[in-house]
Amino acid sequence: MKYKKENGVVLVQFIKSHIGHDENIGRLNLKKDERAEIAGKLKFGVPLDVILDQIRDDTSDIHAALITTTKQDLRNIIRDFNLDPTRSHSDDDVSIEIWCTKVSGVNDPSFNPVIYYKQQGDHSDNENLNVEEVLLIISNAFQRNMLIQFGNNIICIDSTHGMNQYDFHLTSLVVIDEYGRGIPAAFCISNKKDTNTWSIFF
């Protein structure tokens, strides 16, 4: 598209057919063998930055999709090859339930970071929560200690949502330490922000 301005009028020349490039580099996909090779490195714990450096330092004739590989591409490979050690199952609901069960089985209950958990679709022991609500409240021993130590001064609450496909809300409860730094004291993941949710969280 070309344009020029003459006597206060903008003239635009638009060419509909685009030629001269066989492939759009930004839309190229990694080949199966390249993804498998990268997955092998990731499985053995090679850091993402090191893998990207190795790709860019490779002087062999590799194609453009590999050269333009980003960290997000590597994260997608981790997801697709099931390489995330923190993820116990490919289904997120099941993975979270497994994690909650695992951390609740520690010898010392004070180390259990799960304060409250209600899975979506399950009935709750709290009559104010309906079956469609999800609520996960997390605070580890250090965070609870910080809340006790600094919670009598300033408590900040921040909520965000839309950061993933579930559109759940993440609410953070933050205290301010003696140096003026914010320390997250608890997290609440929920599909609602209402009085019932806050009553359980707080």
Side-chain angles (χ1 to χ4, degrees):
M1 184 182 298
K2 295 180 181 179
Y3 78 96
K4 62 180 179 178
K5 192 171 183 179
E6 291 182 359
N7 302 324
V9 177
V10 176
L11 303 173
V12 178
Q13 180 187 12
F14 174 69
I15 301 170
K16 186 176 180 181
S17 299
H18 183 71
I19 59 171
H21 300 286
D22 294 330
E23 295 179 306
N24 184 341
I25 289 177
R27 296 176 185 265
L28 294 177
N29 294 319
L30 292 171
K31 297 176 183 175
K32 284 184 180 179
D33 59 329
E34 292 168 340
R35 287 172 56 84
E37 183 181 345
I38 292 171
K41 292 178 181 179
L42 291 166
K43 185 174 182 178
F44 284 105
V46 179
L48 304 187
D49 288 326
V50 171
I51 292 174
L52 291 175
D53 288 342
Q54 289 173 348
I55 290 171
R56 292 182 179 109
D57 290 342
D58 191 346
T59 55
S60 64
D61 186 21
I62 54 179
H63 74 100
L66 191 56
I67 295 171
T68 58
T69 300
T70 65
K71 279 190 179 179
Q72 186 57 52
D73 294 322
L74 300 186
R75 291 188 193 101
N76 292 343
I77 291 172
I78 291 171
R79 178 200 64 212
D80 295 343
F81 283 79
N82 235 359
L83 299 176
D84 186 352
T86 63
R87 190 172 181 182
S88 305
H89 195 275
S90 58
D91 183 291
D92 288 335
D93 287 338
V94 175
S95 182
I96 291 170
E97 187 168 9
I98 291 171
W99 178 79
C100 288
T101 302
K102 184 178 177 182
V103 297
S104 67
V106 296
N107 294 332
D108 186 348
S110 66
F111 286 101
N112 182 3
V114 179
I115 305 300
Y116 189 92
Y117 175 55
K118 184 212 168 287
Q119 190 174 18
Q120 199 166 27
D122 286 352
H123 292 282
S124 172
D125 55 355
N126 187 308
E127 61 184 25
N128 294 320
L129 294 177
N130 66 46
V131 71
E132 291 306 314
E133 291 186 62
V134 61
L135 186 58
L136 174 61
I137 301 169
I138 302 171
S139 179
N140 63 31
F142 170 78
Q143 291 174 309
R144 294 193 293 269
N145 185 48
M146 292 296 99
L147 182 59
I148 292 168
Q149 188 173 347
F150 300 110
N152 61 349
N153 187 17
I154 297 173
I155 294 179
C156 305
I157 301 164
D158 181 47
S159 188
T160 185
H161 71 97
M163 303 305 289
N164 59 37
Q165 69 268 31
Y166 302 112
D167 201 31
F168 289 162
H169 301 276
L170 170 63
T171 302
S172 305
L173 191 146
V174 180
V175 294
I176 308 300
D177 70 7
E178 69 268 34
Y179 304 108
R181 296 176 301 196
I183 300 175
F187 300 103
C188 175
I189 298 169
S190 63
N191 61 337
K192 284 188 177 181
K193 293 195 301 182
D194 59 14
T195 303
N196 293 333
T197 303
W198 301 145
S199 295
I200 298 170
F201 182 34
F202 297 141

